Amino acid sequence: MDMKTVINKDTVGPRVNFKIVADWGNANFHAIAGWICAHLRWRSEPDSEFWIKTGTGYGDNIKALAAGEVDLAITTPFDLAPEWAMAGSHYFAGRGQLPGMRALGWLPQNDRLVFAIRADTGITSWQDLRDRKFPLKLASAFRTEDNMMMWAVDRVLEEHGIEVEGWGGEWLEHDFPRICVPFVTNGQANAVINEAIVVPQWRELVEKVPMRFLSYEPDALQRLQTKYGLRPGVMPKGYLKAPEDVQCIDWSNWAILVRDDMDDDLAYRITSLMVEERAELEGRYRHLPSEHAAMTYPIDPYAMWKGVGAPLHPGAERYYREHGYMKGA
């Protein structure tokens, strides 16, 4: 059927040439990017164009947005990444300050950055690691300049006094947690530090291999927060068979970011589809319980405008206010 015969003229905006940077191409950010592009297409004049660029989801995504290479970027965590970028601090120190970033909202993922080690190593604490100068074969993401998570991992190890190569260990690297975590399951690695605790490979690991999740030490956790703003989090007792609450770093929620020069009506239009078409995106994850789904549904329009590390775009704020989602704010 020709597109012109099915468009609701009351909801159609002007023609757009719209570009998004998402993830490697096969994970959640690309699913979100496709969802946004599809519905924006149906709310824009025919002959609009849409492009999705691959990225890491971290530094390169935000740099592409700041440079005007793309119109919208997706990143995580929803608070730290834009907050640091706007201030030019911590990971973004020396990479340029990006003050013109604005948010359309966030999508929920209840995630943590955790450290786990095989029980057969005999390691039961960070102090054991230090005392034995234990040679970690540590599975994590690629140690590239763009990978903000690995910058945070380095800070976690640094604040706990842990060395990898210096103690005869090695890194086993892959950005995709579904490939990285199995390095421990198959015996190539003896420990893992990563996020994406919802992916089934984490559950497979703890079913097949006795693991110990090491809570971050209180002093180290305090320094991580004071020095860098890394937010403490808890992986609750029972999750991934943990026998007690695991103190760690929060790595939650996906920020939807644009620049302050985006047209107000376009920002309004994208925000409207994120709210009004949310059931379609949720449907991609509802085959799993929310606590095990990559997106922690449901999406809540009364909350999704709060807490992002960049101010709301005026067009997004207008949508939330007009539809009663910001009462009292």
Side-chain angles (χ1 to χ4, degrees), residues 191-304:
V192 56
I193 185 166
N194 215 318
E195 44 95 40
I197 60 173
V198 295
V199 299
Q201 285 75 18
W202 272 107
R203 298 193 293 279
E204 180 183 10
L205 168 62
V206 299
E207 288 296 332
K208 291 185 175 182
V209 181
M211 300 293 297
R212 290 194 179 98
F213 287 88
L214 301 189
S215 279
Y216 295 4
E217 294 176 334
D219 288 350
L221 199 57
Q222 181 61 52
R223 290 192 298 272
L224 288 165
Q225 184 172 19
T226 302
K227 287 183 178 181
Y228 310 112
L230 288 161
R231 324 287 198 219
V234 176
M235 189 179 79
K237 176 182 178 180
Y239 200 91
L240 295 178
K241 301 180 74 173
E244 58 189 8
D245 287 352
V246 178
Q247 307 299 318
C248 52
I249 294 296
D250 189 83
W251 208 256
S252 294
N253 302 328
W254 303 322
I256 311 299
L257 303 171
V258 298
R259 292 186 307 278
D260 57 1
D261 61 359
M262 175 175 277
D263 176 77
D264 282 7
D265 288 341
L266 179 57
Y268 183 101
R269 203 182 339 162
I270 299 167
T271 306
S272 72
L273 74 85
M274 288 168 52
V275 172
E276 294 162 15
E277 307 297 341
R278 65 189 186 276
E280 179 187 318
L281 185 62
E282 291 172 1
R284 302 185 185 203
Y285 299 96
R286 285 187 176 274
H287 62 288
L288 291 170
S290 183
E291 66 271 18
H292 289 153
M295 189 180 78
T296 313
Y297 58 83
I299 299 167
D300 181 1
Y302 292 93
M304 64 189 289

